[in-house]
Amino acid sequence: MSSSEATGFSLEPSEDVLDVQQWVHEFARDVVRPAAEEWDEREETPWPIIQQAAKIGLYSMDFFANQWLEESGLGIPVAFEELFWGDAGIALSIVGTGLAAASVAAVGTTEQILEWIPQMFGTVDDVHLGAFCASEPDAGSDVGAIRTRAVYDEAAKEWVLNGTKTWATNGGIADVHVVVASVHPDLGSRGQASFIIPPHTPGLSQGQKFKKHGIRASHTAEVVLDDVRIPAGLIVGGMEKFEERIARVREGRKAGGQAALKTFETTRPSVGAMAVGVARAAYEYALEYSREREQFGRKIGDFQGLAFKLADMKTAVDASRLLVWRAAWMARSGKEFNSAEGSMAKLFASETAVRVTDEAIQILGGNGYTRDYPVERMHRDAKIFTIFEGTSEIQRLVIGRTVTGLPVR
């Protein structure tokens, strides 16, 4: 018996995961990559690509649920790496709904999960989108500063929401929005809850659509809530659990999970996997270029200085993947992130994506700086991973607090 068999530990993905990897890779290679430049220039949601993904089952509740529940935890990281290897902007348009779905799946009731997550994806013939709305103009990393208010109207048995959300993927064009709002402002983030806003709800509208540095095929916009009224039962997790949580907070006891924070904990390894995909794509392109490009009568990959760059790029990509896989496996196995392993994966992979795409441009020289070569787009796309779902600085803060046990500020 081998040592790996004796311990039950293996880095080899299961056959099911490998099948998904190949399937998503082929879609990324044959459908996503050929369309990447066009949709980056158009800065529009690539509806035809999303519809193609839906037709093969890649854009669906079943796909996301099956991969989240895959035994090793590697289903989503492997699939996301391949999809973002194709193109980050188009890929984010395909997986962006998953963030809203994850926010409901994390703490929602069974009834909410069964009713609203399918509506976020729609059907093959009628594709829908979901949007998760947490950030605000004055509350990005500081989640406790959220000003969007949710007030309960006892007489009508409705919640009334007012405020402005920003930087929302699919914001304003989504069929279902999940909005984080403050119910008890005196309690900061502990007094917040998430709310499901059904399609065509009066008072919800799209504000400014942002013109971005990268991931330009993904729609990002403000979401304005003006006296938005929703039924009492659309608070994620239900009224009873929310009231119990608030009572525990006021009594000084452990409050349990808040939907927004639970969402970020769940998705950080997935964001890391996205970054790995972009970094790997840039590394592979630079590698092939170095094998073909000649200067001074030699292939440029033959020069030690450039070969060392490629060595560092490859090492960083593989190290990032291993951190992502560890965090994903821990999350699926129910193991606590006692050293902030999710934040470690997201931090290292995102900064790797920025460094590797920068080096890819350097290897291509003047060609790399033009839009005739894809590494320029990859470099623009990579930067977002150090910003959204917790900046690199916030990840370091989380890791620092976790490993020291002190209130690092």
Side-chain angles (χ1 to χ4, degrees), residues 20 23 53-54 56-70 75-76 79 97-98 101 113-114 117-124:
V20 168
W23 175 53
I56 66 169
L58 179 56
Y59 182 79
S60 70
M61 180 187 73
D62 288 342
F63 171 77
F64 280 87
N66 289 339
Q67 299 314 309
W68 278 117
L69 297 174
E70 192 276 325
I76 285 291
T97 294
I113 292 170
L114 293 177
I117 294 181
Q119 290 194 49
M120 294 180 189
F121 290 96
T123 66
V124 172

Short mmCIF file of all heavy atoms in Angstrom, two decimals, residues 20 23 53-54 56-70 75-76 79 97-98 101 113-114 117-124:
data_model
loop_
_atom_site.label_atom_id
_atom_site.label_comp_id
_atom_site.label_asym_id
_atom_site.label_seq_id
_atom_site.Cartn_x
_atom_site.Cartn_y
_atom_site.Cartn_z
N VAL A 20 -15.13 17.35 -15.71
CA VAL A 20 -15.64 18.73 -15.69
C VAL A 20 -14.54 19.68 -16.18
O VAL A 20 -14.81 20.61 -16.96
CB VAL A 20 -16.12 19.13 -14.28
CG1 VAL A 20 -16.36 20.64 -14.18
CG2 VAL A 20 -17.39 18.37 -13.93
N TRP A 23 -14.32 19.47 -19.92
CA TRP A 23 -15.55 20.02 -20.52
C TRP A 23 -15.52 21.55 -20.50
O TRP A 23 -15.77 22.20 -21.52
CB TRP A 23 -16.74 19.48 -19.73
CG TRP A 23 -18.08 20.01 -20.11
CD1 TRP A 23 -18.63 20.05 -21.35
CD2 TRP A 23 -19.05 20.58 -19.21
NE1 TRP A 23 -19.90 20.61 -21.28
CE2 TRP A 23 -20.18 20.93 -19.98
CE3 TRP A 23 -19.09 20.79 -17.83
CZ2 TRP A 23 -21.32 21.50 -19.42
CZ3 TRP A 23 -20.22 21.35 -17.27
CH2 TRP A 23 -21.32 21.70 -18.06
N ALA A 53 -23.61 28.86 -22.85
CA ALA A 53 -23.26 28.15 -21.62
C ALA A 53 -24.49 27.47 -21.01
O ALA A 53 -24.40 26.35 -20.50
CB ALA A 53 -22.63 29.12 -20.62
N ALA A 54 -25.63 28.15 -21.07
CA ALA A 54 -26.86 27.56 -20.54
C ALA A 54 -27.28 26.33 -21.34
O ALA A 54 -27.76 25.34 -20.78
CB ALA A 54 -27.97 28.61 -20.55
N ILE A 56 -25.49 24.11 -22.79
CA ILE A 56 -24.73 22.90 -22.49
C ILE A 56 -24.76 22.55 -21.00
O ILE A 56 -24.12 21.59 -20.56
CB ILE A 56 -23.27 23.03 -22.96
CG1 ILE A 56 -22.52 24.11 -22.17
CG2 ILE A 56 -23.20 23.28 -24.46
CD1 ILE A 56 -21.02 24.10 -22.40
N GLY A 57 -25.49 23.34 -20.20
CA GLY A 57 -25.62 23.06 -18.78
C GLY A 57 -24.57 23.69 -17.90
O GLY A 57 -24.53 23.45 -16.69
N LEU A 58 -23.71 24.52 -18.48
CA LEU A 58 -22.66 25.17 -17.70
C LEU A 58 -23.21 26.33 -16.88
O LEU A 58 -22.77 26.57 -15.75
CB LEU A 58 -21.55 25.66 -18.64
CG LEU A 58 -20.36 26.39 -18.01
CD1 LEU A 58 -19.70 25.55 -16.94
CD2 LEU A 58 -19.35 26.76 -19.10
N TYR A 59 -24.17 27.05 -17.46
CA TYR A 59 -24.82 28.13 -16.71
C TYR A 59 -26.16 27.60 -16.21
O TYR A 59 -27.18 27.64 -16.93
CB TYR A 59 -25.04 29.36 -17.59
CG TYR A 59 -25.66 30.52 -16.83
CD1 TYR A 59 -24.88 31.33 -16.01
CD2 TYR A 59 -27.02 30.81 -16.92
CE1 TYR A 59 -25.43 32.38 -15.31
CE2 TYR A 59 -27.58 31.86 -16.22
CZ TYR A 59 -26.79 32.64 -15.41
OH TYR A 59 -27.34 33.68 -14.71
N SER A 60 -26.16 27.06 -15.00
CA SER A 60 -27.39 26.49 -14.44
C SER A 60 -27.23 26.30 -12.95
O SER A 60 -26.10 26.17 -12.44
CB SER A 60 -27.71 25.14 -15.10
OG SER A 60 -26.78 24.15 -14.68
N MET A 61 -28.35 26.25 -12.26
CA MET A 61 -28.31 25.99 -10.82
C MET A 61 -27.72 24.60 -10.55
O MET A 61 -26.94 24.42 -9.61
CB MET A 61 -29.73 26.07 -10.24
CG MET A 61 -29.77 25.80 -8.74
SD MET A 61 -31.45 25.70 -8.10
CE MET A 61 -31.94 24.11 -8.77
N ASP A 62 -28.07 23.62 -11.39
CA ASP A 62 -27.59 22.26 -11.17
C ASP A 62 -26.07 22.19 -11.25
O ASP A 62 -25.42 21.51 -10.44
CB ASP A 62 -28.20 21.30 -12.19
CG ASP A 62 -29.68 21.05 -11.93
OD1 ASP A 62 -30.13 21.33 -10.80
OD2 ASP A 62 -30.38 20.58 -12.85
N PHE A 63 -25.48 22.89 -12.23
CA PHE A 63 -24.03 22.85 -12.36
C PHE A 63 -23.36 23.41 -11.11
O PHE A 63 -22.47 22.79 -10.53
CB PHE A 63 -23.57 23.64 -13.58
CG PHE A 63 -22.08 23.81 -13.65
CD1 PHE A 63 -21.26 22.77 -14.06
CD2 PHE A 63 -21.48 25.01 -13.26
CE1 PHE A 63 -19.88 22.92 -14.09
CE2 PHE A 63 -20.10 25.16 -13.30
CZ PHE A 63 -19.30 24.11 -13.71
N PHE A 64 -23.79 24.60 -10.67
CA PHE A 64 -23.17 25.23 -9.51
C PHE A 64 -23.39 24.39 -8.25
O PHE A 64 -22.47 24.19 -7.46
CB PHE A 64 -23.71 26.64 -9.31
CG PHE A 64 -23.08 27.65 -10.23
CD1 PHE A 64 -23.58 27.88 -11.49
CD2 PHE A 64 -21.97 28.37 -9.83
CE1 PHE A 64 -22.99 28.79 -12.35
CE2 PHE A 64 -21.37 29.30 -10.67
CZ PHE A 64 -21.89 29.51 -11.93
N ALA A 65 -24.60 23.86 -8.09
CA ALA A 65 -24.89 23.05 -6.89
C ALA A 65 -24.05 21.78 -6.88
O ALA A 65 -23.47 21.41 -5.86
CB ALA A 65 -26.38 22.70 -6.86
N ASN A 66 -23.97 21.11 -8.03
CA ASN A 66 -23.21 19.86 -8.10
C ASN A 66 -21.73 20.08 -7.82
O ASN A 66 -21.09 19.26 -7.16
CB ASN A 66 -23.40 19.20 -9.47
CG ASN A 66 -24.78 18.64 -9.67
OD1 ASN A 66 -25.50 18.37 -8.70
ND2 ASN A 66 -25.19 18.47 -10.91
N GLN A 67 -21.19 21.19 -8.33
CA GLN A 67 -19.77 21.43 -8.12
C GLN A 67 -19.48 21.89 -6.69
O GLN A 67 -18.46 21.53 -6.11
CB GLN A 67 -19.24 22.45 -9.14
CG GLN A 67 -19.37 22.00 -10.58
CD GLN A 67 -18.90 20.57 -10.79
OE1 GLN A 67 -17.81 20.18 -10.39
NE2 GLN A 67 -19.74 19.76 -11.43
N TRP A 68 -20.39 22.67 -6.09
CA TRP A 68 -20.22 23.06 -4.69
C TRP A 68 -20.23 21.84 -3.79
O TRP A 68 -19.51 21.78 -2.78
CB TRP A 68 -21.33 24.01 -4.25
CG TRP A 68 -21.13 25.45 -4.61
CD1 TRP A 68 -21.92 26.20 -5.43
CD2 TRP A 68 -20.08 26.34 -4.19
NE1 TRP A 68 -21.42 27.48 -5.55
CE2 TRP A 68 -20.31 27.59 -4.80
CE3 TRP A 68 -18.98 26.18 -3.36
CZ2 TRP A 68 -19.46 28.67 -4.59
CZ3 TRP A 68 -18.15 27.26 -3.16
CH2 TRP A 68 -18.39 28.50 -3.78
N LEU A 69 -21.06 20.85 -4.15
CA LEU A 69 -21.23 19.67 -3.30
C LEU A 69 -20.26 18.54 -3.64
O LEU A 69 -20.29 17.49 -2.99
CB LEU A 69 -22.67 19.16 -3.41
CG LEU A 69 -23.75 20.13 -2.92
CD1 LEU A 69 -25.14 19.58 -3.21
CD2 LEU A 69 -23.59 20.40 -1.42
N GLU A 70 -19.43 18.73 -4.65
CA GLU A 70 -18.47 17.69 -5.04
C GLU A 70 -17.61 17.33 -3.83
O GLU A 70 -17.17 18.19 -3.08
CB GLU A 70 -17.62 18.21 -6.20
CG GLU A 70 -16.78 17.16 -6.89
CD GLU A 70 -15.49 16.91 -6.17
OE1 GLU A 70 -14.93 17.87 -5.60
OE2 GLU A 70 -15.05 15.74 -6.15
N GLY A 75 -14.42 20.89 -7.30
CA GLY A 75 -15.23 21.08 -8.50
C GLY A 75 -15.27 22.52 -8.97
O GLY A 75 -14.95 22.82 -10.13
N ILE A 76 -15.65 23.43 -8.07
CA ILE A 76 -15.74 24.85 -8.44
C ILE A 76 -14.36 25.45 -8.76
O ILE A 76 -14.20 26.11 -9.79
CB ILE A 76 -16.45 25.65 -7.33
CG1 ILE A 76 -17.96 25.38 -7.36
CG2 ILE A 76 -16.20 27.15 -7.48
CD1 ILE A 76 -18.70 25.94 -8.56
N ALA A 79 -13.25 24.21 -12.23
CA ALA A 79 -14.09 24.76 -13.30
C ALA A 79 -13.82 26.25 -13.50
O ALA A 79 -13.71 26.73 -14.63
CB ALA A 79 -15.57 24.52 -12.98
N THR A 97 -23.71 35.33 -11.27
CA THR A 97 -24.95 34.95 -10.59
C THR A 97 -24.67 34.04 -9.40
O THR A 97 -25.42 34.03 -8.41
CB THR A 97 -25.90 34.26 -11.58
OG1 THR A 97 -26.30 35.22 -12.57
CG2 THR A 97 -27.14 33.71 -10.90
N GLY A 98 -23.59 33.28 -9.48
CA GLY A 98 -23.25 32.34 -8.41
C GLY A 98 -23.03 33.02 -7.07
O GLY A 98 -23.27 32.42 -6.02
N ALA A 101 -26.41 33.54 -5.63
CA ALA A 101 -26.93 32.22 -5.24
C ALA A 101 -26.25 31.73 -3.97
O ALA A 101 -26.90 31.18 -3.06
CB ALA A 101 -26.71 31.23 -6.38
N ILE A 113 -34.18 28.87 -0.78
CA ILE A 113 -33.22 28.26 -1.70
C ILE A 113 -33.94 27.66 -2.90
O ILE A 113 -33.55 27.87 -4.05
CB ILE A 113 -32.38 27.20 -0.97
CG1 ILE A 113 -31.45 27.88 0.05
CG2 ILE A 113 -31.57 26.37 -1.96
CD1 ILE A 113 -30.75 26.92 0.99
N LEU A 114 -35.01 26.92 -2.62
CA LEU A 114 -35.72 26.23 -3.70
C LEU A 114 -36.49 27.19 -4.60
O LEU A 114 -36.66 26.94 -5.79
CB LEU A 114 -36.68 25.19 -3.10
CG LEU A 114 -36.02 24.00 -2.40
CD1 LEU A 114 -37.07 23.09 -1.78
CD2 LEU A 114 -35.14 23.23 -3.36
N ILE A 117 -33.19 30.62 -5.95
CA ILE A 117 -31.98 30.32 -6.72
C ILE A 117 -32.31 29.89 -8.15
O ILE A 117 -31.66 30.36 -9.09
CB ILE A 117 -31.09 29.29 -5.98
CG1 ILE A 117 -30.56 29.91 -4.69
CG2 ILE A 117 -29.94 28.83 -6.87
CD1 ILE A 117 -29.64 29.00 -3.88
N PRO A 118 -33.31 29.04 -8.37
CA PRO A 118 -33.66 28.73 -9.77
C PRO A 118 -34.05 29.97 -10.57
O PRO A 118 -33.76 30.06 -11.77
CB PRO A 118 -34.84 27.77 -9.63
CG PRO A 118 -34.66 27.14 -8.30
CD PRO A 118 -34.10 28.22 -7.42
N GLN A 119 -34.70 30.94 -9.92
CA GLN A 119 -35.10 32.15 -10.63
C GLN A 119 -33.90 33.03 -10.99
O GLN A 119 -34.00 33.86 -11.90
CB GLN A 119 -36.09 32.95 -9.78
CG GLN A 119 -37.45 32.28 -9.64
CD GLN A 119 -38.50 33.24 -9.11
OE1 GLN A 119 -38.65 34.36 -9.59
NE2 GLN A 119 -39.24 32.80 -8.09
N MET A 120 -32.79 32.84 -10.29
CA MET A 120 -31.59 33.61 -10.63
C MET A 120 -30.98 33.14 -11.94
O MET A 120 -30.34 33.93 -12.65
CB MET A 120 -30.55 33.47 -9.51
CG MET A 120 -30.96 34.10 -8.20
SD MET A 120 -29.66 33.90 -6.95
CE MET A 120 -30.51 34.48 -5.48
N PHE A 121 -31.14 31.85 -12.25
CA PHE A 121 -30.55 31.30 -13.47
C PHE A 121 -31.53 31.22 -14.63
O PHE A 121 -31.13 31.31 -15.79
CB PHE A 121 -30.00 29.90 -13.19
CG PHE A 121 -28.78 29.90 -12.30
CD1 PHE A 121 -28.90 29.69 -10.93
CD2 PHE A 121 -27.52 30.14 -12.83
CE1 PHE A 121 -27.78 29.70 -10.11
CE2 PHE A 121 -26.39 30.16 -12.02
CZ PHE A 121 -26.53 29.93 -10.65
N GLY A 122 -32.82 31.08 -14.35
CA GLY A 122 -33.80 30.95 -15.41
C GLY A 122 -33.71 29.60 -16.08
O GLY A 122 -33.35 28.59 -15.45
N THR A 123 -34.00 29.56 -17.37
CA THR A 123 -34.00 28.32 -18.12
C THR A 123 -33.12 28.46 -19.36
O THR A 123 -32.63 29.55 -19.67
CB THR A 123 -35.42 27.95 -18.56
OG1 THR A 123 -35.89 28.94 -19.50
CG2 THR A 123 -36.38 27.88 -17.37
N VAL A 124 -32.94 27.37 -20.07
CA VAL A 124 -32.14 27.39 -21.30
C VAL A 124 -32.71 28.39 -22.29
O VAL A 124 -31.97 29.10 -22.98
CB VAL A 124 -32.09 25.98 -21.92
CG1 VAL A 124 -31.41 26.02 -23.29
CG2 VAL A 124 -31.34 25.02 -20.99
#
